Amino acid sequence: MLVKAFGSAVSGIHATIITVEVNVALGGNPSFYIVGLPDNAVREGRDRIRTAFNNNGYKLPRKVVTVNMAPADILKVGASYDLTVAMGLLAADHEIRPDLLSEYLIMGELSLDGSLRPIKGALPIAIEARKRGFKGLILPKQNASEAAIVNELEVIPVAHLREAAEFLDGQFEIKPLVRDTRDIFFHAQTDFPFDFSDVKGQENVKRAMEVAAAGGHNAIMVGPPGSGKTMLAKRMSTILPPLTLHEALETTKIHSVTGLLGEESSLVAHRPFRSPHHTTSDVALVGGGGNPQPGEISLAHNGVLFLDELPEFKRSVLEVLRQPLEERRITVSRARLTVEYPASFMLIASMNPCPCGYFNHPDKECVCAPQVVQRYLSKISGPLMDRIDLHIEVTPVPFEELAAKEDGEKSIDIQQRVIKAREIQLERFKDHPGIYSNAMMPPQMVRKVCVIDKFGESLLKIAMKKLDLSARAFDRILKVARTIADLAGSEEIKPDHVAEAIQYRSLDRESWAG
C-alpha cells in the first residue's frame, strides 16, 4: 500500500513542504529504504523508528519498505522527520487509518522509547502549514507554544509516538493548543532584568546612548577597564522602542531555526542582545556552515550586537561586518543552495584606548608609546569605523557618584523620549520604503534632510579644522545632529545640536593618539 504524509524542510528562515511517500510491498527480502536526498540523521531514523515500534507494541513490516521524500532535490536534514515516516509506515501497514494524514503536517524526533524530542524551526513550519491550507500541525509538545503563535491552524501537541498514532486513528482526542500570545507578548515587554537606573554617574555616556537609540546609530565606547562600558551596553536594549508584532515574529523565526527558543516559549518579547566572545570566527558571526545556520548578526536582528574589546577580534572577522551593516541582511552562498538572513542590528562596541588601558586616564599614567597607541587603534579599519556614528569617551566614575544613594533616571523614562524621536523619523521617511531611522539615510538624502543654518555650518567648519576631524565624519555629524534635534522636538537643526554631535567623533581626531 502507498500512503503520503507531510513534513517540512527549513531553509534560511522559511519552510518548504516535504511529501513523504511510504510504500510497503510484498516480494523480495525485507528491507527499508529512504530516498530523496536524506542526510545521515534522516537515514538513521530507520533504527530509531524500528526500536520505538518494538518498544510500543508495533511491528515494522517484514516487507520491502520504500520511503521517498519529495522534492528530491532538497536536502533533508535532521531527525525531525522520524514521526512523519513512522505515521506513514503505520498507515501503509494498516495499523492506523490513513484519512487524516493529508490534513495534518507531522514533525518530531523519536526517542527509542517512543517519546518525542523537540525540533528546530517549529514557527516557520507552522506558518508554511497554514499558508498551504493544512488543517493542523502535529509536533512535540515542547514546541507547541511556539507554533501556537500562528492563528487559524490547529496545533496538536503530542508527547509520545502512541499519542500521535491514536489521534490519527481516531481513538484518542487531543485538544489543539490555543494561546493568547499577543497578550503574553505585550505583558512581557516591560519585564527587564537590567535598568539604566543601576548605573551610577556617567550622565554624558547615558545621553550618548539615548542619542544612539533614538536614531538607530551604531556606537563605540572608549574608556579604561572598569569604567562601566559593558554595564551600559547591556542596558541599551531597555531604552530601544519595544518590538512590534511584525519584528517579534521575524526575530522569533530566526531563534526558532537555531533551536534557541526554550521549551514552552512563544514570541520573543524583548529586543535581542548578543555579545559574542572576541575569539569567535567569521562564520559564527555572519552565519554559514555546511548546512547554513544564522550567525550572531542575524540572532541580533532587531536588537543589539555588542562587541566587547573590539581590537581583540580578528581583522577578518570584523571586516565581514561591513556589508551587513550597510545592507541589513546577509546572503550565505554554498554550492547547493543560497540562503538569506535578515541582519538589521545596532552595533555597540567597546574598547580600551590603548593596550594598557589608561591612555587619557585622569589619575593613572599610560605606559604605552604614541606609536603603540596608534597601532592598537588601527586594528579597526577605516571602512568599519566609517559605519560607526558615535564615538563615546567613557571616564572612570568618581567615588562621590559611586557612593550616591539616589538612583539615576529609569530606562522607561529614557525609552519614552526615544519612542517620540522614532515616531518623528517614521513620519519623515514614510515615503521611503526600507528607511525607518536617521542612521539608515543614504548620503544623497542626508543633504536634503539634515539642513543646517549658517551658524551651524560655521561651527562645523571650525570643528573640522581645529579638531582635525577627517572627511568621513561630516555625514555622520549631520545624521547625529538630526537625531539630537528630533529628541529636542525641533524641526530645525540648531547650532547646539551640531556642537553636541561634533563631540561624539573623538576617534576621528588626527591627534587622538599623538
Side-chain angles (χ1 to χ4, degrees), residues 395-414:
T395 55
V397 182
F399 174 79
E400 294 75 17
E401 292 183 10
L402 276 175
K405 292 184 178 178
E406 61 272 12
D407 288 334
E409 190 175 20
K410 291 187 175 295
S411 290
I412 189 67
D413 299 323
I414 303 172

Side-chain angles (χ1 to χ4, degrees), residues 306-453:
F306 176 50
L307 300 183
D308 201 4
E309 302 299 342
L310 191 66
E312 301 302 328
F313 283 80
K314 289 186 289 187
R315 181 76 174 243
S316 61
V317 172
L318 294 179
E319 293 309 296
V320 297
L321 284 173
R322 286 158 53 177
Q323 184 184 1
L325 280 170
E326 288 293 318
E327 298 185 359
R328 300 186 178 271
R329 64 180 186 275
I330 180 72
T331 303
V332 179
S333 296
R334 294 293 180 265
R336 67 171 182 269
L337 81 165
T338 298
V339 295
E340 185 175 280
Y341 296 112
S344 181
F345 59 91
M346 181 187 293
L347 174 65
I348 303 294
S350 74
M351 60 182 285
N352 293 331
C354 65
C356 79
Y358 297 108
F359 182 74
N360 279 349
H361 194 283
D363 302 318
K364 297 185 180 181
E365 186 177 348
C366 174
V367 298
C368 306
Q371 61 268 27
V372 174
V373 178
Q374 187 60 54
R375 195 181 311 124
Y376 184 75
L377 294 175
S378 67
K379 288 183 178 181
I380 308 164
S381 70
L384 179 59
M385 257 328 196
D386 195 34
R387 290 160 172 81
I388 298 178
D389 295 345
L390 281 83
H391 307 162
I392 308 165
E393 291 187 61
V394 185
T395 55
V397 182
F399 174 79
E400 294 75 17
E401 292 183 10
L402 276 175
K405 292 184 178 178
E406 61 272 12
D407 288 334
E409 190 175 20
K410 291 187 175 295
S411 290
I412 189 67
D413 299 323
I414 303 172
Q415 188 189 52
Q416 292 307 311
R417 296 196 295 268
V418 169
I419 290 171
K420 286 179 182 176
R422 285 288 183 104
E423 286 171 352
I424 292 170
Q425 292 164 50
L426 286 173
E427 178 65 24
R428 176 183 299 135
F429 303 123
K430 64 183 179 182
D431 297 326
H432 302 277
I435 300 177
Y436 309 106
S437 64
N438 291 333
M440 294 181 175
M441 279 191 287
Q444 62 270 23
M445 191 181 288
V446 173
R447 302 293 190 276
K448 295 178 183 177
V449 174
C450 306
V451 179
I452 55 177
D453 59 20

Side-chain angles (χ1 to χ4, degrees), residues 278-311:
H278 62 77
T279 56
T280 194
S281 68
D282 48 357
V283 171
L285 192 65
V286 301
N291 175 38
Q293 289 288 300
E296 290 290 341
I297 62 172
S298 295
L299 293 171
H301 179 61
N302 291 323
V304 175
L305 177 69
F306 176 50
L307 300 183
D308 201 4
E309 302 299 342
L310 191 66

